Amino acid sequence: MIEHDLFAALRARTVAALAELLPDLPGDAFARVLMEPPRDPSHGDMATNGALVVAKLAKQAPPRLAAALAERLAALPEVESAAPAGPGFVNLRLREGVLRAQLPVILAEGTRYGDGSVGARRKVDVEYVSANPTGPMHVGHCRGAVVGDALANLLAKAGWDVTKEYYINDAGAQVQALAMAAYWRYLQALLRTPAGAVPDAPALRAFAASDRGREAFEQAFGVALQYGGDYLVPVGEALAAEHGAALVPDGGGVPAGAALDAIRDVTVARMMVSIREDLAMLGVEQDVFVSEAALVRAGKLEQAEQVLADRGLIYRGVLEPPRGKTPEDWEPREQTLFRATQFGDEVDRPLRKSDGSGTYFANDIANHLHKIERGFAELVHVWGADHGGYVKRMQAAVAALSSNTVPLDVVLAQIVHVVKDGQPVRMSKRAGTYITLRDLIDEVGRDAVRFTMLTRKADAQMEFDLDKVVEQSRENPVFYVQYAHARCRSVLRGAGDPAAGDLALAPLDSLVDPAELALIRRLTTWPRTVEAAALAREPHRIAFFLHDLAGDFHVLWNRGREDTTLRFIREDEPQATRARLALVAATATVIRSGLAVMGVTPVEEMR
RNA sequence: GGACUCGUAGCUCAGCUGGAUAGAGCGCUGCCCUCCGAAGGCAGAGGUCGAAGGUUCGAAUCCUUUCGAGUCCGCCA
């Protein structure tokens, strides 16, 4: 039997057997039938709850049904024995060789082993990172970037047709504030250009002074510069080089109109270049970058409003103040509202600011209309946990726009607390203890960052200990998994790097040690791990699987230390050596495959 | 006041969408290097799954209530 996923194969046979035993049951009665690795290895190789699940519908006692099912399953060619157990499980022991026969399957499929079909090639849009383009990426963005990227890879592996997307929040107050800061840097840059090019405005010199310039600028324009960082210095220089003094309004006031647009557009473009460089360093390269401002300019907002209005989901109304805690400056105000409550949200949500422009939510509705129009069957977002309160309204909007045909899943990524020397590192722009993504990658390396970010469930808070992620010990899962792969590669190199196709032909009868069989069993659970993790949108499961797999391999390696007959390469036993090399090659392949989902590079040797 | 995410071993966390006796790492205890694959390995102790009810053959998992932590709460994104 050559099957890609042994568990899926035996499950299908179980369902078929049940259907024969219970011909009157409808086909969907078997949906909850599972074939799983048993928790206790003494129970056998696989266990199914099939009899338990359908017993009630079949009006039979579970143990009796389990016995009948076991009898049928025992007759399968793959099955050595099948026994009813407990409240109605059936435990299966596979015929010798069936497990081992997975090794040539793995070797033949290579890193495609584990590719699934649950996605059914449905188009899914995975949107993640989506940081404001107002500065460099920092560690706060990092987790969402890694989780989103790994999740996208995971869905692709499980059979979805994936688009990786970044939504650029380039319309709104934050970006206006950024433009003002860039304008200030531009004035500074102008002063360093030949005097003839600088307009004769006395204020200019004061704004651009190195010591009090910022305060003077803020006072004169009545703004607080939110983005004072040095990273805007080159932007100011670029503006000065390209436009000279042409962007300074006559009389030296606040730039507006085309001049402001130019400043903003150049600045945002520069920031996006920088962000994409940062993301590339992290190994994140998205397919599509959608600009909020471009959507607004294209009239997507009005179009989305029209869609909702046509369905009677928009009205003018006044919201109640939040119960219990009324904001100080609360006053009732008539607003354009979306009937989010019809789709499970707590309150209806405003779409327009008082100046007539769209709220962030309204613009994001336009963004989602854009996604739906592009034909995505499913939408997935990775957001920071601070956006948790935003989930229901967005799901309501997508449900409304798509008439409940397109599901939106939101994965919330909790805050990462960076720890160094046992002390939490406070993140503060003002105090300058602000860790950029680049700093982090420079310090511990891209692979360690990515792997570590996936060693927790996304919605669990996480400590990122800068010392531990580079530590070479068992405590560090990055090291532990990489070390297993390096050991595999070391063995294979020692054997002259045999081709996978050659090893796939090796007789495997000599693989009988419990540690060898445990490793093979683990390898056979890779396809179902991919499928379950993709359905749950939980890429961290891949990291845990790899950790377990590495553990099984290290156990085998260590057995070889005590018992030399268990070593992988034995000069006196060419047959056994080939069989073990096949096992080692399959292990390395699956580790590589898992690391690829995580976006981590497998290493050839530990240095 | 409400919403969302959590609460599992001393610590950090898994727990495969409701399954059998709840797991891993660290820490702790005890063993294991004259030599061969010890940046390690083997074994052990350690739990009323925050609490109380409920749903059913069966609950850490689902529902209700409650306690605690974090996040958020009309024109910030």
Side-chain angles (χ1 to χ4, degrees), chain A residues 167-375:
Chain A
Y167 176 56
I168 309 170
N169 296 137
D170 55 359
Q174 298 298 316
V175 172
Q176 294 300 93
L178 177 76
M180 282 304 283
Y183 181 60
W184 174 57
R185 293 297 188 180
Y186 162 68
L187 295 180
Q188 280 192 319
L190 276 185
L191 269 198
R192 289 191 218 106
T193 57
V198 182
D200 184 22
L204 183 56
R205 194 157 297 276
F207 297 160
S210 57
D211 52 350
R212 307 281 304 163
R214 178 169 177 171
E215 285 82 351
F217 182 91
E218 290 182 333
Q219 277 182 2
F221 291 117
V223 295
L225 286 180
Q226 289 182 44
Y227 303 102
D230 290 343
Y231 60 86
L232 288 175
V233 170
V235 178
E237 287 167 354
L239 285 167
E242 187 177 342
H243 297 277
L247 298 176
V248 181
D250 294 340
V254 182
L260 181 60
D261 289 347
I263 294 168
R264 193 191 51 229
D265 291 351
V266 166
T267 309
V268 168
R270 283 273 183 146
M271 293 299 104
M272 284 310 298
V273 168
S274 158
I275 286 171
R276 290 176 75 157
E277 283 170 3
D278 289 353
L279 287 172
M281 283 181 70
L282 192 58
V284 173
E285 296 191 18
Q286 282 141 308
D287 306 309
V288 178
F289 289 74
V290 173
S291 155
E292 178 183 4
L295 288 176
V296 170
R297 277 197 301 273
K300 268 291 173 241
L301 174 52
E302 287 72 21
Q303 200 182 324
E305 274 184 323
Q306 193 57 51
V307 171
L308 296 176
D310 290 348
R311 296 174 189 181
L313 298 172
I314 288 183
Y315 67 102
R316 295 286 296 176
V318 180
L319 286 178
E320 295 288 313
R323 263 171 301 174
K325 187 183 167 189
T326 307
E328 303 280 327
D329 58 345
W330 178 273
E331 54 184 70
R333 192 176 299 140
E334 196 184 56
Q335 292 174 301
T336 301
L337 297 168
F338 161 59
R339 292 189 194 279
T341 46
Q342 287 197 6
F343 300 90
D345 201 0
E346 283 83 35
V347 291
D348 294 335
R349 303 291 180 177
L351 297 178
R352 293 280 180 177
K353 303 179 194 175
S354 51
D355 68 357
S357 65
T359 58
Y360 175 79
F361 176 53
N363 286 352
D364 213 5
I365 291 179
N367 177 31
H368 284 76
L369 176 63
H370 185 228
K371 292 177 195 290
I372 291 166
E373 286 174 347
R374 284 183 287 154

Side-chain angles (χ1 to χ4, degrees), chain A residues 97 100-101 103-104 107 502-511 573-583:
Chain A
R100 291 192 294 244
L103 293 183
L107 292 171
D502 182 37
L503 289 177
L505 302 173
L508 301 172
D509 299 344
S510 60
L511 298 176
E573 294 275 3
Q575 284 280 67
T577 297
R578 282 190 80 205
R580 286 185 184 144
L581 288 177
L583 176 56

Side-chain angles (χ1 to χ4, degrees), chain A residues 7 35 79 105 129 179 197 206 257 303 308 317 350 376 402 424 433 576:
Chain A
F7 289 87
M35 184 63 76
V79 175
V105 175
V129 190
Q303 200 182 324
L308 296 176
F376 291 109
S402 73
T433 57

Side-chain angles (χ1 to χ4, degrees), chain A residues 149-166:
Chain A
D149 204 51
L151 177 54
N153 293 341
L154 174 60
L155 291 176
K157 188 163 185 66
W160 272 269
D161 179 1
V162 176
T163 297
K164 297 179 175 180
E165 189 158 319
Y166 184 119

